[in-house]
Amino acid sequence: MKPSEQTMPGDNNRISNFFIFQAWLVLLLASFFGASLAGIQLTLSPKIEANKLNETLEKVPELIFGAEAAQSFAEENRQMDIERQYIKAGNKIYSVFQAKTDDQTSGWVVKSSGQGYADKIELLVGVDAKAETISGLFILDQKETPGLGNKIMEQAWRNQFNNKSTQQPMTAVKTKASAPNEINAITGATISSKAVCGIVNQSLNNLRQPLAKALLNDQNPSDNQPNNHQEKK
Amino acid sequence: MADQPTAFERFTQGILPENPVYRQLLGLCPVLAVTNSMQGAMTMAGAVLFVLLCANVIISLIRDLLKPHLRIVIFTLTIATFVTIVDRFLAAYMYQMSKSLGPYIPLIIVNCIIICRCEVCASKQSVITAASDAVGQSLGFALALASIASVREILGTGMFFGFRVLPEMWPDWVIMVLPPGAFLTFGLLLGAVNWIVAMKKAKD
């Protein structure tokens, strides 16, 4: 609207001059598009959530038994029950997957996340039943530098975490890793490497005890009856 | 509207003579960012085709209702809607691809090819012309992405569409899949295109 028009009496009050009425098409389209997007979100979000959960569940056997054992496990067609739990530890709520084979807990997979070099890194850590050693690591989501930081997704690098003790925090070192809990940092991506170690350390530090306790609670019924094991034999 | 290009002209111009990337230098963010693999580049091209086609058709349908000072808002609104649809759709049905393209799908909203076509063609011409313009420009965009992505993927990883084309002993030029590789490849290809155009002009 030109300034000269604004000063004209009467003209100013004409309903069609208000921006809100001039914008009728914008408002109409916005509500129409908004409604259709809501519909799409409602239809697709279960599928998207399922995709994320599927990826997690798919990785659970590998994270607990290692890639090769998981493969033969799948070939033998053995059943693994995966139970999802939420454990609150260290003012964070962790999504934890308890993997059971033949009614025995074979391990846990913890979903955790933290700040990486570029964006949030989301990862899965597999630990044994007593939460004493790491059995696997998988990166669910990351936006690290392609060619450098995104090497944290590579199996060779992730495998370094296997069989590490959960008692000592992991450290990423630039020189050749010598101490038991040292990880070789990726060349050119020290921050990404350290970030992954940090996320793993923090979540294990928080969850080591709750997981061990959860295992005891699970076993308690049988522990109270020592004869149970002999009867099975 | 006698001086406006016809539907067929719009279509053919988009592919080469007015190629959005090489001749108009538009939409360079995805050109540089997602061309380190062919699969990613082609998914991006498909997403742009869908968004551009839908946005052009909608804008062309309501072109008589547009007010000059509100048109950009309506363009952006329409584009954002279709980009969100693509983004959700990829996350639901092409989960791995959606993960590797990351933020670049939502960023189509600010891809200036689309808003440029809405402004130049769709808001002035009929639905059929707008649709063929959208397809032509998208093909031009896809062609540009493919040219850069094939150079980068082959030299950077020795593979094409994820299949090995160079022998195992090829020392992967990692720089080609990193951001500098995008600038190098795009710069050289752009130079080549300009050189060809200049040669052609000289001949005429």
Side-chain angles (χ1 to χ4, degrees):
Chain A
M1 202 189 284
K2 287 176 208 153
S4 61
E5 280 176 6
Q6 271 178 346
T7 54
M8 281 166 81
D11 208 34
N12 223 1
N13 296 327
R14 273 178 56 190
I15 215 164
S16 61
N17 274 359
F18 287 106
F19 279 141
I20 188 88
F21 291 106
Q22 292 188 5
W24 69 270
L25 186 61
V26 181
L27 297 172
L28 190 76
L29 282 178
S31 10
F32 175 68
F33 287 153
S36 31
L37 283 183
I40 284 180
Q41 175 69 16
L42 278 181
T43 348
L44 293 183
S45 68
K47 179 96 183 130
I48 297 169
E49 281 309 306
N51 281 344
K52 282 191 179 167
L53 189 64
N54 263 349
E55 191 178 25
T56 307
L57 293 180
E58 235 169 62
K59 291 291 161 194
V60 167
E62 190 186 317
L63 287 173
I64 288 170
F65 298 121
E68 281 168 33
Q71 184 123 29
S72 60
F73 191 83
E75 277 162 10
E76 286 165 29
N77 235 342
R78 286 173 65 191
Q79 270 293 277
M80 175 184 253
D81 295 316
I82 302 168
E83 218 174 278
R84 188 178 193 172
Q85 302 178 6
Y86 296 95
I87 296 182
K88 191 169 182 286
N91 63 42
K92 252 183 157 184
I93 295 174
Y94 289 94
S95 204
V96 177
F97 299 85
Q98 181 177 19
K100 284 185 177 177
T101 37
D102 311 325
D103 272 344
Q104 291 281 318
T105 305
S106 15
W108 309 81
V109 170
V110 177
K111 191 173 161 187
S112 188
S113 63
Q115 181 62 40
Y117 176 65
D119 203 342
K120 204 171 82 167
I121 299 178
E122 234 177 15
L123 50 77
L124 299 172
V125 195
V127 291
D128 67 342
K130 290 178 186 163
E132 280 172 345
T133 48
I134 298 177
S135 50
L137 175 72
F138 181 74
I139 311 292
L140 267 182
D141 200 7
Q142 57 82 32
K143 294 186 175 59
E144 304 302 284
T145 321
L148 296 169
N150 75 349
K151 284 187 183 162
I152 57 171
M153 311 229 299
E154 285 178 4
Q155 182 130 32
W157 190 77
R158 286 188 283 117
N159 278 350
Q160 291 188 85
F161 285 84
N162 295 357
N163 302 322
K164 295 273 192 244
S165 160
T166 59
Q167 305 291 329
Q168 263 181 299
M170 245 68 62
T171 42
V173 290
K174 287 188 200 177
T175 49
K176 192 129 185 63
S178 49
N181 272 43
E182 280 182 351
I183 302 283
N184 284 320
I186 297 159
T187 314
T190 318
I191 297 178
S192 302
S193 315
K194 282 188 174 160
V196 172
C197 288
I199 299 166
V200 171
N201 291 341
Q202 198 206 5
S203 45
L204 289 182
N205 198 25
N206 285 338
L207 283 171
R208 200 170 53 230
Q209 279 158 358
L211 288 183
K213 217 182 269 176
L215 181 74
L216 277 183
N217 286 343
D218 253 22
Q219 288 176 339
N220 254 351
S222 57
D223 284 350
N224 296 340
Q225 300 158 319
N227 293 335
N228 225 5
H229 290 287
Q230 289 168 353
E231 274 168 28
K232 266 186 188 168
K233 282 173 193 167
Chain B
M1 289 213 192
D3 54 340
Q4 294 275 16
T6 63
F8 181 71
E9 279 169 357
R10 283 290 195 199
F11 176 77
T12 48
Q13 274 175 355
I15 300 175
L16 284 176
E18 280 182 19
N19 187 293
V21 174
Y22 286 118
R23 303 305 296 154
Q24 300 179 55
L25 297 183
L26 291 179
L28 296 187
C29 163
V31 166
L32 296 171
V34 304
T35 48
N36 53 9
S37 79
M38 264 310 258
Q39 281 169 334
M42 288 302 98
T43 314
M44 172 58 80
V48 167
L49 169 68
F50 172 79
V51 176
L52 184 51
L53 187 60
C54 294
N56 255 13
V57 166
I58 298 251
I59 297 298
S60 176
L61 283 173
I62 58 169
R63 66 185 187 280
D64 295 330
L65 301 170
L66 292 176
K67 290 194 172 61
H69 58 292
L70 289 173
R71 69 185 197 287
I72 301 287
V73 180
I74 289 179
F75 296 165
T76 323
L77 196 65
T78 317
I79 296 165
T81 306
F82 289 108
V83 170
T84 314
I85 292 175
V86 169
D87 183 46
R88 297 288 81 193
F89 188 83
L90 285 181
Y93 296 103
M94 295 171 74
Y95 182 61
Q96 289 305 325
M97 185 46 77
S98 148
K99 269 177 74 171
S100 71
L101 287 179
Y104 295 108
I105 291 293
L107 279 175
I108 298 176
I109 295 175
V110 290
N111 188 321
C112 34
I113 296 174
I114 300 169
I115 208 157
C116 163
R117 295 333 290 176
C118 287
E119 171 77 9
V120 171
C121 175
S123 62
K124 297 188 178 85
Q125 292 190 283
S126 73
V127 176
I128 294 173
T129 315
S132 60
D133 179 70
V135 176
Q137 293 284 335
S138 305
L139 283 180
F141 184 64
L143 205 65
L145 282 182
S147 60
I148 298 166
S150 42
V151 173
R152 289 184 66 193
E153 190 179 355
I154 292 175
L155 295 183
T157 62
M159 302 209 265
F160 186 65
F161 262 111
F163 297 105
R164 186 152 281 283
V165 288
L166 291 181
E168 283 289 342
M169 57 178 288
W170 171 259
D172 295 345
W173 295 3
V174 178
I175 193 165
M176 295 309 279
V177 292
L178 291 177
F183 286 96
L184 285 173
T185 316
F186 179 57
L188 291 173
L189 286 178
L190 184 63
V193 169
N194 276 341
W195 183 69
I196 293 168
V197 170
M199 293 281 282
K200 249 187 165 177
K201 264 191 187 156
K203 260 187 197 167
D204 294 341

